[in-house]
Amino acid sequence: DPREIQTRNVAVWYAQDDSAVPPSHGKWLADHFSSQEGVETSIRSENIGLGHFTYMPSRGPVFQVDEETLPRTLIDFCAREQ
């Protein structure tokens, strides 16, 4: 049950046009974690026609800027904790 996850940092990135995983799941997770006190949440929700593959490194403009990559976001979370 995702409501039992305890974390200080979480990235919830989901595609609004995803046909493999309902976007409502991403929205629910984003709403849940962003409402938790003390949890830093990175939320992205795109609708660029790539569906489930929106955030894959070799696909589309979403991944062209280093600062916008999921690995960069997670590394930044870790760096702030040190």
Side-chain angles (χ1 to χ4, degrees), residues 36-73:
Q36 301 299 304
E37 187 175 326
V39 177
E40 185 174 354
T41 308
S42 170
I43 301 169
R44 292 194 62 196
S45 177
E46 308 287 342
N47 187 0
I48 60 170
L50 296 174
H52 197 68
F53 300 101
T54 296
Y55 300 105
M56 299 223 17
S58 61
R59 307 270 182 164
V62 175
F63 242 100
Q64 300 303 314
V65 179
D66 183 55
E67 291 80 21
E68 294 181 345
T69 65
L70 187 54
R72 176 84 267 148
T73 298

